[in-house]
Amino acid sequence: MTFVPLTTQPQEIEEKSFEIIAEELGEHPFTAEQFPVVQRVIHASADFELGRSLLFTPDAIQAGIQAIRSGCPVVADVQMVEVGVSKPRLEKFGGKVHCFISDPDVMEEAKKLNTTRAIVATRKAARLYDGAIWAIGNAPTALLELIRLVETGEAKPGLIIGVPVGFVSAAESKELLSKSKGVPFITNIGRKGGSPVAVSIVNALSLLAARE
Amino acid sequence: MTFVPLTTQPQEIEEKSFEIIAEELGEHPFTAEQFPVVQRVIHASADFELGRSLLFTPDAIQAGIQAIRSGCPVVADVQMVEVGVSKPRLEKFGGKVHCFISDPDVMEEAKKLNTTRAIVATRKAARLYDGAIWAIGNAPTALLELIRLVETGEAKPGLIIGVPVGFVSAAESKELLSKSKGVPFITNIGRKGGSPVAVSIVNALSLLAARE
């Protein structure tokens, strides 16, 4: 018994996928600028419901493109996001991806404060970088802490990509983000999300930054 | 505006999530042995439909536990799976996680053969390891190649975790796996899947291996 794949050409696989997605998605509420991001999220998740749940501030896409073109760093909440983000397109503009969750000082402080490593890592990144793209795919506590630090003026993100997944605080953290003022964000409604979603949004933005 | 998370204690967050999942899942077709794996997949995806789509051979859980206890390697198709898998529990038994997709020799050969890096990486891993747990979360071409190598006798997996995601060949590759004979596997029906699904299955198995 064998199955012959339609194609083993990476570029063709992606193009074929994008055709299927555009066809099956049908009518949608997204702008032409937002659509490539939605498409790439559906591509990464095979989940149209998740794609349709995305929310953008009107300035989000341009803020992301500008941050990437200015060589601003990408802050990933977990290593799965860190390794998934495509590096060459960011590096072309001088940008790098950072993830602090496994840093020894972060682990030590989280233990001392009896809190999550995600919270402590968020504080560390906020101290180090202004204008960064925050890609949060896993930890609701990271997103909640980032929202708090934006309100106190301790964090100045260029764009927040807040798509943590899960049953405890994930949907709530994203609802809170969706009501934030004064900061560009991309998020989604509900419990779904995850590292591949955060990765695909960053990668869609860096493609837009490189192409335009 | 603030939102106070229910808890910031990692252990409590996980326990609370697992309670919600068991409650909302209700009746299901899985055995007591399979259930912790299903639960962890739902935990990672917040997707009950995905959890319910899982398929196990009757020997899959025990094959996974035995492979881990014997220190067999875990072969990851992509780096997101490689970094997501929890290492300490595997290392306790002498096991390691390997991913060859970005090896220079793999990249070179894929270019030469005009095929995917996933296929070439699968061949390399099959040459190196017998009895490994294969964790395929991303690349249908890796899974299709592995199934072919099992049929020709060139690959001897201890367990195949085949949960690639996507629109081109993913569902087909998993359907083919579901009809395989003579090899323990965990897979799912349909397009959904992904790195966090593969990761959560490996992590659920290593928890079982460490606990029992």
Side-chain angles (χ1 to χ4, degrees), chain A residues 2 12-13 21 30 32 39 44 50 52 88 100 121 125-127 129 132 140 146-147 150 169 177 183 186 195-196:
Chain A
T2 54
E12 281 177 30
I13 293 173
I21 293 165
F30 302 107
Q39 208 170 19
L50 177 53
R52 284 188 175 278
F100 298 123
R127 280 195 303 272
Y129 306 119
L146 179 58
I147 296 168
V150 168
S169 306
L177 177 62
V183 61
I186 301 174
S195 302

Side-chain angles (χ1 to χ4, degrees), chain A residues 7-19 40 43 89 207 211, chain B residues 114-117 168:
Chain A
T7 171
T8 56
Q9 299 307 305
Q11 194 53 40
E12 281 177 30
I13 293 173
E14 195 170 288
E15 279 167 19
K16 182 70 196 154
S17 302
F18 277 54
E19 271 174 37
R40 201 155 278 273
H43 180 247
R89 290 192 300 272
L207 274 168
R211 266 183 207 161
Chain B
N114 195 24
T115 190
T116 70
R117 292 193 282 149
V168 175

Side-chain angles (χ1 to χ4, degrees), chain A residues 23-108:
Chain A
E23 212 177 280
E24 289 191 28
L25 183 61
E27 280 186 44
H28 61 78
F30 302 107
T31 67
E33 198 184 51
Q34 293 161 354
F35 187 65
V37 174
V38 177
Q39 208 170 19
R40 201 155 278 273
V41 167
I42 297 172
H43 180 247
S45 62
D47 193 336
F48 287 92
E49 183 191 80
L50 177 53
R52 284 188 175 278
S53 75
L54 287 167
L55 284 180
F56 300 79
T57 54
D59 55 351
I61 303 292
Q62 285 307 319
I65 290 173
Q66 276 320 108
I68 289 168
R69 288 198 182 148
S70 311
C72 295
V74 173
V75 176
D77 65 334
V78 290
Q79 281 171 299
M80 285 183 73
V81 173
E82 183 186 19
V83 300
V85 167
S86 177
K87 313 294 181 302
R89 290 192 300 272
L90 298 175
E91 285 164 4
K92 206 185 105 184
F93 299 106
K96 286 194 170 171
V97 186
H98 304 271
C99 177
F100 298 123
I101 197 147
S102 292
D103 287 7
D105 59 323
V106 167
M107 292 169 79
E108 201 179 309

